[in-house]
């Protein structure tokens, strides 16, 4: 359990590390070029690991709905935006606002798609996040 | 770099918030791919289509290079870190941590390392010392997120 907990924490550290390295690349080049290298280098890396481990095309990927294949272009904008923002509002603020956006849009998506959930927990969670964003925004540089 | 290069422009905060919204769609799209194919496939496809999309963006937008000198080679390795993240979370998702625990601990790791990086100005990014207001905001947003993760059935 402690082993998996360590892996989960490490995964979060790597999310931040990746954004910092991409942000540094964007400082030398541009946010979009940084996003391009992030995807290309990641692609080469995953291809190598998948070839070594096998099972890349396991299951029935051809059965997936067409819109499930749209994650790539969305990710390009996501990585470019993160690389651009981190040099402007810092790593912690970037991470915090992205988390806030993901959580609140997640609630909206859940409601739109009719996923079951506790109304009061959702309302309290969203209220706390909005309050936190309001506090963060009031900081003097 | 000095602290003065950082801003607290409301537009930047709004942009970061909207960027988080993109993440929800990525989780939905890539998660659906993973439901039909392997976890490798669900990460390999967006990296492949993303590389092509980014190349097209570069060709059409032709963004100006910030510096003429080539940066050190390690700055091109951000994609490896991102790809390893997917592999780590695919391991923890199938453990007792499940989705909620994986996300919650991931948020903790992400925030602690981000604060550390800001304090040190790691990797040549602007240095920024967190103040009390930052920790209040952090506590509120993380508390709200944990409530959504564990009680709101939100991902």
């Amino acid at each position: 359990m402690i082993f998996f907990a360590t892996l989960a924490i490490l995964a979060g550290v790597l999310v931040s590390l990746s954004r910092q390295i991409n942000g540094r690349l964007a400082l030398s080049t541009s946010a979009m070029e940084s996003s391009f290298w992030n995807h290309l280098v990641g692609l080469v890396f995953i291809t190598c690991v998948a070839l070594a481990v096998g099972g890349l095309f396991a299951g029935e990927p051809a059965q997936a709905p067409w819109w499930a294949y749209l994650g790539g272009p969305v990710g390009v904008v996501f990585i470019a935006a993160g690389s651009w923002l981190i040099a402007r509002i810092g790593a912690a603020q970037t991470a915090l606002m992205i988390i806030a956006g993901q959580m609140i849009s997640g609630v909206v998506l859940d409601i739109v798609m009719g996923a079951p959930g506790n109304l009061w927990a959702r309302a309290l969670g969203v209220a706390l996040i909005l309050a936190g964003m309001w506090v963060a925004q009031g900081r003097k540089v | 770099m000095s602290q003065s290069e950082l801003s607290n422009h409301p537009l930047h905060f709004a942009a970061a918030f909207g960027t988080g919204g993109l993440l929800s769609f990525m989780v939905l799209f890539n998660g659906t791919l993973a439901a039909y194919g392997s976890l490798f496939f669900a990460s390999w496809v967006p990296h492949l289509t993303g590389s092509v999309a980014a190349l097209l963006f570069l060709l059409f937008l032709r963004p100006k290079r910030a510096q003429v000198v080539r940066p050190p080679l390690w700055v091109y390795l951000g994609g490896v870190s991102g790809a390893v993240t997917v592999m780590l979370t695919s391991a923890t998702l199938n453990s007792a941590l499940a989705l909620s625990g994986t996300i919650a601990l991931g948020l903790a790791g992400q925030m602690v390392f981000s604060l550390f990086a800001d304090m040190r100005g790691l990797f040549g990014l602007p240095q920024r010392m967190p103040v009390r207001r930052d920790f209040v905001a952090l506590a509120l947003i993380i508390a709200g997120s944990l409530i959504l993760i564990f009680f709101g059935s939100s991902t």
Side-chain angles (χ1 to χ4, degrees):
Chain A
M1 187 65 192
I2 289 179
F3 172 70
F4 284 112
T6 309
L7 289 190
I9 293 170
L10 184 62
V13 169
L14 288 181
V15 168
S16 179
L17 177 69
S18 173
R19 192 174 294 140
Q20 289 162 37
I21 297 175
N22 287 331
R24 171 63 186 80
L25 176 55
L27 278 182
S28 289
T29 56
S30 66
M32 190 50 76
E33 185 169 340
S34 170
S35 184
F36 168 72
W37 287 111
N38 174 83
H39 281 81
L40 190 68
V41 172
L43 175 68
V44 171
F45 180 77
I46 294 169
T47 305
C48 291
V49 175
L51 285 176
V53 178
L56 177 60
F57 296 105
E60 296 192 324
Q63 303 294 312
W66 63 270
W67 52 262
Y69 285 85
L70 295 179
V74 179
V76 166
V77 179
F78 176 79
I79 298 293
S83 309
W84 189 83
L85 286 163
I86 194 168
R88 285 165 177 81
I89 58 175
Q93 296 289 4
T94 303
L96 206 51
M97 289 304 129
I98 287 179
I99 290 166
Q102 184 192 3
M103 287 297 153
I104 293 185
S105 62
V107 170
V108 173
L109 265 182
D110 276 351
I111 291 173
V112 169
M113 297 179 73
N118 184 315
L119 176 69
W120 291 107
R122 281 174 173 170
L124 179 62
V126 169
L128 284 171
I129 291 171
L130 290 176
M133 291 177 61
W134 181 68
V135 170
Q137 172 55 40
R139 172 180 168 150
K140 294 184 180 67
V141 174
Chain B
M1 274 201 254
S2 66
Q3 298 223 350
S4 60
E5 290 177 53
L6 287 164
S7 78
N8 66 340
H9 199 290
L11 262 182
H12 291 164
F13 281 77
F17 183 74
T19 302
L22 292 181
L23 194 51
S24 278
F25 286 97
M26 288 161 65
V27 170
L28 176 65
F29 296 156
N30 299 343
T32 304
L33 273 189
Y36 289 87
S38 67
L39 270 162
F40 272 139
F41 184 78
S43 174
W44 187 75
V45 166
H47 275 85
L48 178 65
T49 57
S51 297
V52 176
L55 193 60
L56 291 176
F57 273 128
L58 284 175
L59 287 176
F60 283 105
L61 299 174
R62 296 203 171 272
K64 228 176 38 206
R65 262 240 172 75
Q67 293 170 1
V68 183
V69 278
R70 275 274 163 191
L73 272 181
W74 60 263
V75 303
Y76 290 91
L77 294 178
V80 173
S81 178
V84 173
T85 305
V86 177
M87 293 168 194
L88 287 180
T89 49
S90 66
T92 58
L93 279 176
N94 293 315
S95 75
L97 292 175
L99 183 61
S100 308
T102 298
I103 297 176
L105 290 172
L107 291 188
Q110 193 184 155
M111 285 319 304
V112 169
F113 189 63
S114 295
L115 284 167
F116 174 74
D118 277 346
M119 291 183 204
R120 293 294 183 89
L122 280 190
F123 305 115
L125 291 171
Q127 191 184 18
R128 173 184 182 130
M129 289 307 285
V131 295
R132 199 176 55 188
R133 178 181 279 273
D134 292 329
F135 289 107
V136 174
L138 176 77
L140 285 168
I141 292 177
I142 295 302
S145 300
L146 292 178
I147 288 174
L148 290 179
I149 292 166
F150 289 105
F151 304 108
S153 86
S154 166
T155 53

